Amino acid sequence: MDPLHLCIAMGPVVAYLMLLGLINTRRRPFLTTGARDLSALGIGVSGLVIAGPMELFLPELALNQFGAYVWFMMLALYGLCWTLLVLLVRPRLVIYNMTIKQMRPILSSVASKLDPELRWAGDSLCLPTLHVQLHLETFTTLRCTQLVSSGPEQSCAGWRKLEIKLAEALKTTESTINPYAMSLIVLAVFMAVAVTFKMATNLELVQHQLREMLRL
């Protein structure tokens, strides 16, 4: 791959890997919503989309007529499509640096205060008063636990209350550093150095490809 497209494709990926690595070096759990987590992923893969299908299917007629402004339109279209995807997914909470075994008693304590009628069934939890039904999933490598909604009938207000109370409970919870965190950081640094070196040694080629790409 040429240096310009390599930089475009790998730049956001490097930033995303570095972010995950830094989050996993924390000694406290990190809580975020599924929407924010998915938005970060959308930014992370944006470079791959730009250097791949976006450029491949870029309308040449529009590019010749509007020049570089077509790229702003394509990026806006990508942003709108990803935003629609974020809005359509079911509610979800993502907790990094926390296993299911660690998460379950904390969730039970928080949920019992929000809804005394809570019911557990394996790794599934029902909060009828809040109109929230969820189940626990885990991603072992990143030591990440997710509270994923079960069924279409969900209350956004109920999920918001659960998020706030859970965030308050996790502030006093300590966790160990994920051993895979440094692997993510080292990988991100290695990729960043490799891309920077390839661009620095081919500056004239990068400038030529950028002008050609933007029709300048």
Side-chain angles (χ1 to χ4, degrees):
M1 184 181 290
D2 61 76
L4 177 63
H5 287 84
L6 183 64
C7 178
I8 293 174
M10 293 293 103
V13 174
V14 168
Y16 183 70
L17 290 177
M18 182 62 74
L19 177 63
L20 285 181
L22 293 175
I23 287 175
N24 280 272
T25 58
R26 291 165 53 99
R27 291 189 177 274
R28 294 188 182 279
F30 179 82
L31 171 68
T32 186
T33 63
R36 289 195 288 266
D37 190 61
L38 191 58
S39 297
L41 178 61
I43 295 173
V45 301
S46 61
L48 297 172
V49 175
I50 293 172
M54 190 177 293
E55 184 172 15
L56 181 63
F57 297 107
L58 193 68
E60 288 292 333
L61 182 61
L63 187 60
N64 293 330
Q65 184 172 357
F66 298 106
Y69 292 105
V70 173
W71 285 102
F72 291 105
M73 300 177 191
M74 295 293 289
L75 289 172
L77 178 61
Y78 171 76
L80 290 172
C81 291
W82 199 272
T83 301
L84 178 62
L85 175 63
V86 170
L87 293 174
L88 289 177
V89 296
R90 292 178 180 176
R92 180 168 55 100
L93 295 177
V94 183
I95 305 95
Y96 289 95
N97 297 334
M98 181 70 67
T99 64
I100 285 185
K101 186 177 180 180
Q102 294 171 316
M103 186 70 233
R104 187 169 176 129
I106 298 174
L107 178 60
S108 295
S109 176
V110 170
S112 62
K113 295 176 183 178
L114 291 172
D115 189 349
E117 300 180 9
L118 84 163
R119 297 190 299 272
W120 278 100
D123 287 332
S124 298
L125 174 64
C126 177
L127 304 173
T129 304
L130 292 182
H131 300 288
V132 170
Q133 300 176 25
L134 59 89
H135 62 277
L136 279 68
E137 295 182 359
T138 185
F139 183 34
T140 307
T141 303
L142 290 179
R143 202 164 60 190
C144 167
T145 299
Q146 300 187 45
L147 311 184
V148 185
S149 60
S150 303
E153 299 297 328
Q154 303 286 336
S155 169
C156 293
W159 275 91
R160 179 58 180 165
K161 291 179 181 178
L162 179 61
E163 177 192 351
I164 293 173
K165 294 300 182 182
L166 200 55
E168 292 176 356
L170 291 175
K171 286 181 180 178
T172 58
T173 304
E174 290 192 3
S175 181
T176 57
I177 296 176
N178 188 344
Y180 289 101
M182 289 308 300
S183 300
L184 293 172
I185 294 175
V186 170
L187 177 60
V189 171
F190 174 78
M191 292 172 62
V193 170
V195 171
T196 302
F197 176 77
K198 189 164 186 178
M199 289 193 66
T201 55
N202 297 275
L203 284 178
E204 293 185 2
L205 178 60
V206 170
Q207 293 173 359
H208 172 73
Q209 290 174 334
L210 183 60
R211 288 194 297 267
E212 186 178 86
M213 185 178 181
L214 299 178
R215 296 295 194 275
L216 296 177

